[in-house]
Amino acid sequence: MKRLTALTAVIMLALTSQAAADPARPAAAPARPVIDFRSELQPIDGFGFSMAFQRADLLHGARGLGPAKRREVLDLLFSKDKGAGLSILRLGIGSSTDTVYDHMPTILPADPGGPDATPAYVWDGWDGGQVWLAKEAKKYGVERFFADAWSAPAFMKTNNNENDGGELLPAWRQAYANYLVQYAKFYQREGIGITDLGFTNEPDWTATYASMRFTPQQAVDFLKVLGPTVRASGLKTELVCCDAAGWDRQIAFTEAIEADPEADKAVRTITGHRYSGPTTVPQPTDKRVWMSEWSPDGTTWNEKWDDGSGYDGLTVAADIQNTLTVGNANAYVYWVGASLGTTRGLVRLANPGDDYRVSKRYWALAAFSRFIRPDAVRVPVTNTDPALQITAFRNTDGSRVIEILNTATTERSTTFSLRGGHDRHPEGYVTDETRSIAPADIVSTHGTSLTAKLAPRALTTIVLD
């Protein structure tokens, strides 16, 4: 029997080799990409941005932006019809004792006399324009308000300075927890529920501006104080941690939280930035995971889609695709919505003046956030073309979205097999150097097959009913 089996194998190998060498025999067609809308991967909490460090005040008109232009920018950021429909607003919890531009004022400007003394909180109802912006966002339907602290007040820290790192003094842990809860209560008084609360920003990096260091163990130790304090407050807010400067650096914080039952109980969402490099692995957790801050580096304002600078629109589109697929992120929060000068923000405001400019980075993010709504789920995609970066999603209203980034310099025509529904009238939108989520007649369907013409170096968004 063994000899027959071996002989059969030799014969089959010879026949296979002959067929492969036969020029008259047609080559096997490449596998058709499959999108399985019946299955699901991670849920999507949303897409967002920040206007901390008094950027919200700029949008309100501190440098001359008038009411009409202000509304246009608000529409760009929040409107699901006219703009990006961004659904997460990240707020900065301040630590500065002044209101100089680019500082975030604290609600506790004076040392009360020790960690056990009664604090004299101060609230102006403005918070660098963030209260106004949060109220505007709520009118557009935003429900996720993510408040994050860059530093504790100076007197709570080892270096007695809000800047240049320093660590939280252990004796002040409870007072700092109370401080964060009070900030959320002030927003509750304004009609804004802080849904997600963070106590540190980039604890692995010392900045010359507001910053504070935590080791993973120190973060765990503080969570054991903050968790019970938030639960006892009656606030309907959940904790996030730890916004490390790099996605890879966040892993140590995530592992420390996962290893401690009390800290693990306190945290709903793991948050990490990705300044130290692209996302290469998922975070080691079953919790929700947000990419909670990033913008590309650069030395000038840039409105290009694909100029090789590394801070153009295509760069951001590729990063979103990578973060959602490789990082399995549940949310993508861009650093800043609008700012001044050489900003890598989405929008540049005049300084001074009643005008603004829009980057292609904005349109890259908007192509995802407008169509992929909160509580959508990412679904599996099999793809054999390395030039195409493909993600697909199913929204709660039944609509389905396919995002395809063609990184090749030539047009591609690709046919997908769809599992989970028939579609007669798919919609196609293209974002590239000359188009910004522009409707395009590039998609057709036949039964469960969908064919799309993909422009070179472009992001194509396909929406199915």
Side-chain angles (χ1 to χ4, degrees), residues 45-323:
D45 292 329
F47 298 84
F49 69 102
S50 178
M51 290 290 280
F53 292 92
Q54 298 197 54
R55 267 56 177 181
D57 198 35
L58 297 178
L59 181 54
H60 186 264
R63 298 293 176 92
L65 193 69
K69 296 290 186 180
R70 177 195 312 152
R71 180 55 56 192
E72 290 177 12
V73 177
L74 288 170
D75 282 344
L76 282 171
L77 295 171
F78 294 119
S79 173
K80 294 186 287 290
D81 302 316
K82 301 178 182 179
L86 292 161
S87 56
I88 299 173
L89 178 61
R90 185 179 181 222
L91 307 168
I93 303 174
S95 54
S96 297
T97 57
D98 60 55
T99 57
V100 173
Y101 172 68
D102 213 28
H103 291 183
M104 295 187 290
T106 178
I107 61 171
L108 189 58
D111 184 344
D116 299 321
T118 301
Y121 294 117
V122 176
W123 182 244
D124 62 5
W126 183 246
D127 198 28
Q130 293 183 117
V131 172
W132 162 78
L133 183 59
K135 290 180 178 179
E136 290 293 325
K138 189 174 181 179
K139 294 176 185 176
Y140 283 91
V142 173
E143 297 179 351
R144 297 301 288 268
F145 295 94
F146 166 28
D148 211 2
W150 270 246
S151 173
F155 54 81
M156 296 186 183
K157 299 171 60 182
T158 56
N159 65 345
N160 196 32
N161 190 335
E162 68 162 324
N163 306 320
D164 302 315
E167 299 176 353
L168 180 67
L169 289 162
W172 284 90
R173 285 174 182 161
Q174 185 60 63
Y176 183 45
N178 296 341
Y179 170 88
L180 297 169
V181 165
Q182 183 59 52
Y183 181 88
K185 286 183 175 180
F186 280 137
Y187 267 82
Q188 185 180 54
R189 181 191 301 178
E190 302 291 342
I192 301 297
I194 300 299
T195 54
D196 306 271
L197 180 64
F199 65 91
T200 181
N201 175 79
E202 299 181 353
D204 55 322
W205 186 63
T206 298
T208 55
Y209 49 87
S211 55
M212 182 167 61
R213 302 291 298 237
F214 283 89
T215 66
Q217 186 57 53
Q218 288 170 335
V220 164
D221 291 341
F222 182 64
L223 282 166
K224 293 178 182 180
V225 178
L226 182 58
T229 303
V230 170
R231 288 194 294 271
S233 71
L235 292 170
K236 294 181 179 179
T237 188
E238 301 286 349
L239 297 184
V240 309
C241 194
C242 301
D243 288 89
W247 192 263
D248 53 341
R249 300 176 188 177
Q250 174 60 35
I251 290 173
F253 290 89
T254 303
E255 290 175 338
I257 291 169
E258 292 287 313
D260 188 285
E262 195 172 349
D264 183 59
K265 178 182 178 182
V267 176
R268 173 174 65 178
T269 303
I270 296 296
T271 51
H273 304 173
R274 69 144 229 78
Y275 290 109
S276 65
T279 302
T280 57
V281 293
Q283 289 294 316
T285 181
D286 291 330
K287 300 180 186 297
R288 297 295 179 97
V289 177
W290 289 9
M291 197 300 291
S292 51
E293 182 190 316
W294 179 71
S295 65
D297 292 330
T299 57
T300 62
W301 166 250
N302 185 291
E303 297 180 15
K304 297 294 185 180
W305 170 255
D306 180 25
D307 64 358
S309 65
Y311 48 104
D312 51 17
L314 189 141
T315 295
V316 171
D319 190 70
I320 296 171
Q321 292 280 56
N322 185 71
T323 301

Side-chain angles (χ1 to χ4, degrees), residues 328-339:
N328 288 335
N330 302 94
Y332 190 97
V333 183
Y334 195 80
W335 161 223
V336 68
S339 192

